[in-house]
Amino acid sequence: MAAGPLSHLHAATVSLSTCTVQQPRATTQRLHMVFHFTATLAILYYRFTNLIHGDVPMLPWGFMTVSELIFSFIWFLTQAFRWRPVARTVSLQNLPDDDELPKVDVFICTADPTKEPTVEVMNTVLSAMGLDYPSDKLAVYLSDDGGAPSTLYAIKEACSFAKGWLPFCRKYGIKSRCPEWFFSTYGHDELLFRSDEFEVDEENMKLAYERFKENVEQKTNGASAISDRPPRIAIIHDNRKSGRNRENQVQMPLLVYVSREKRPSLPHRFKAGALNALLRVSGVLSNASYMLVLDCDMYCNEPASAKQAMCFHLDPKLSGSLAFVQYPQIFYNVSQKDIYDGQGRSAYKTKYQGMDGIGGTICAGTGYFLKKKALYTCPYQQDEHLLHPEERFGESSKFIDSLKSSENKETQIDRFTTAVLEEAKKLATCSYEDNTKWGKEIGYSYDSLLESSFTGYLLHTRGWKSVYLYPNRPCFLGCTTIDMKDAMLQLMKWSSGLLQVGLSRFNPLIYGVSRMPFLQAMSYAYFMYSPFLAIAFLLYGTVPQLCLLNGVALYPTASNPWFKVFAAVYVSSLSQHLYEVVSTGGTVVTWWNEQRIYFIKCISALLFGCADVMMKSLGFAKANFRLTNKVVNKEKMEKYEKGKFDLEGAKMFMIPMTFMVLLNGVCFLGGVKRVISNGNLEEMFGQVFMSWTTLLFSYPILKGLVPSGSKGKKIKN
């Protein structure tokens, strides 16, 4: 499963990619680190010395010290992202000829037709089939963990539609090869010059798409997942029968439907199990060296993405230790106000670029091209993973042979015989992994529900590297969450999964530091321990306010020099965030929205993430894969685009925030009254300011508590 020697020979003579440190951004951030670190140490010194030797209220002062320690710890970890941010570019013109490119498999996973609309899944499949890559070297696999017969029907219909859609896209140079996107208001203006011939062809293609869509929606209406079923493998399109060199035939990749076996009494390992099954099945069918993993709602927006990734995988300076190329998740439905921070600007425009400069970015779970060999062995090792292969990979001789064979070795035209398909079904059974190393030492790990992020972390601990490419044209587009409930559920799932890893034997500050660069371990520690910010924000949002109500001072007076240190840290933190937002194309409105939703998420989703980990550790809850709802509600979308918070269904998440809002309201009014009565504003200014800013950040929740119209509901269920 190695790329052909001709490819490496060609790549060795030319430059396929470049990596540039982002200056003056890196220098500016390093200077800021020195200032902020000094001020933070001063605050901690002030807290501890007064706690030990000063005449201060021990319990509230101790709580404030704990919260400031947490803030300082997370801030320290964040600096890893700011140390050496880099930007990468590729040179597509320097790639070898198509005949010398390695094979690529595309893995698309779907699990529940009620939450993941089948038409949307098929659009992702069609966009993947339209990648600008040799059709006989590209294979698209759909893993249907729902096992609904309607999904198999839909992919057959998609294949039929693709026979007209793909030639249409290639004829007119259309890059948006997701038909739903192209025919929508988002992508309809892609072509500036529209000939009469194009207008006619486009209208015919639109009618064909509407028929396809109607047929699929009728068939999938009311479809549901089947939890007890045998494995099923279906070759939807065999690219051997319509290869690139056949005249009058549509160039299409191999298209395969995979529904692995599921039994209620046997573990199925969620998405990690599905991806491992795809690794095995694809090994005996297409046996590509590289794979692209896509969420079922994340479609290909740039046909050249596979060739862009090969610019890194075939680069002799990188290829030996490169595990995967990660692309950003870009969302087409992000509103101008982006009240839920759906675009993930902080991650995709700052943190990922920062990690890329210190050893490799985290695996985001979708939109990444991975070298399959990285899931089986360590870099620069040849055949060590093939010693005693049955003990590691299972008893399938065909799959083991696929690991040993060269990718460029010719296979028989009748490779999809009944025997081969039966072997593929065997590889997709529940019992195949018994007494093997799947999920433990090879493939995607079963130790975390965040299978891709955790497996990417393990790859980095084994010595593999990764790169991050943020091209001008988004390579993959998806739909972001548009209400509070889905945003909170998604973040709770991530925070719970990452915190579990951080508290396990795989924690980055011990296990990670001993196996990867220190700064890279710090960046992983940030993701895994940031849920603790919920504790710090909860203390900061309640303790000073209660003390304000009771006239107990927790900060130095406004005229005290120590107050200037606190103010300097606060302004420094806000300024650093504002600099990052503006330098990555954002505005002051973006900065404010990010500040506000960050506070809300910490008091809700991150807090519930911490509670979820605690419940699981005590045995009160079991691991459960929470599938994000991908059905778009028009009413919710309109509300989101207007910048109005939608709290429907988020009542549970809003309980801590509601408590904090009410507490701050009472404490602010009572505290201000007391300050005016006692005339000690200078002494209590810090706490008055804290209570006021908490109310300001919580305004959307406060607004949700006020009855609207005749409904008289506080927070909708």
Side-chain angles (χ1 to χ4, degrees), residues 57 60 542-554 667 684 687:
T542 55
V543 175
Q545 289 79 354
L546 288 171
C547 290
L548 170 65
L549 186 63
N550 291 280
V552 178
L554 295 179
C667 291
M684 305 300 295
Q687 284 152 261

Side-chain angles (χ1 to χ4, degrees), residues 245-284:
N245 299 321
R246 303 292 183 90
E247 294 182 0
N248 301 320
Q249 290 183 330
V250 179
Q251 300 175 18
M252 287 172 52
L254 172 66
L255 182 60
V256 183
Y257 170 86
V258 179
S259 177
R260 62 191 174 118
E261 182 184 20
K262 270 195 174 183
R263 303 299 179 191
S265 59
L266 298 175
H268 62 277
R269 308 297 186 180
F270 307 108
K271 188 178 178 181
L275 288 170
N276 283 339
L278 287 176
L279 281 169
R280 296 190 294 271
V281 171
S282 66
V284 299

Side-chain angles (χ1 to χ4, degrees), residues 103-108 125 128-130 133-142 155 159 166 170 233-243 250-258 281-288 415-416 421:
K103 293 180 182 178
V104 175
D105 290 337
V106 182
F107 293 168
I108 301 169
V125 170
M129 293 177 70
Y133 209 75
S135 61
D136 59 346
K137 296 196 174 188
L138 183 66
V140 178
Y141 291 81
L142 176 65
I155 195 172
C159 182
L166 296 184
R170 291 165 183 157
I233 312 292
I235 307 299
I236 308 301
H237 177 77
D238 184 354
N239 60 348
R240 278 282 179 168
K241 295 179 180 179
S242 57
V250 179
Q251 300 175 18
M252 287 172 52
L254 172 66
L255 182 60
V256 183
Y257 170 86
V258 179
V281 171
S282 66
V284 299
L285 297 183
S286 54
N287 195 26
R415 55 180 175 166
F416 302 136
L421 292 178

Side-chain angles (χ1 to χ4, degrees), residues 280 283-284 287 386 389-390 393-405 419 423-424 426-427 432:
R280 296 190 294 271
V284 299
N287 195 26
L386 295 177
E390 291 82 5
F393 297 99
E395 298 180 352
S396 173
S397 59
K398 285 186 172 61
F399 178 68
I400 293 172
D401 289 342
S402 75
L403 298 174
K404 297 177 181 178
S405 66
E423 187 72 11
K426 174 185 173 183
L427 291 165
Y432 182 81

Side-chain angles (χ1 to χ4, degrees), residues 172-213:
Y172 295 106
I174 295 169
K175 291 188 174 183
S176 300
R177 297 184 180 179
C178 168
E180 184 70 28
W181 168 271
F182 178 76
F183 293 120
S184 71
T185 55
Y186 292 110
H188 194 61
D189 295 329
E190 180 179 328
L191 296 178
L192 296 178
F193 302 101
R194 307 168 70 88
S195 64
D196 293 339
E197 182 184 10
F198 170 78
E199 295 283 357
V200 173
D201 287 349
E202 181 193 36
E203 184 62 29
N204 291 334
M205 190 52 56
K206 186 174 183 180
L207 291 174
Y209 176 65
E210 292 299 330
R211 286 195 298 270
F212 156 73
K213 187 175 179 180

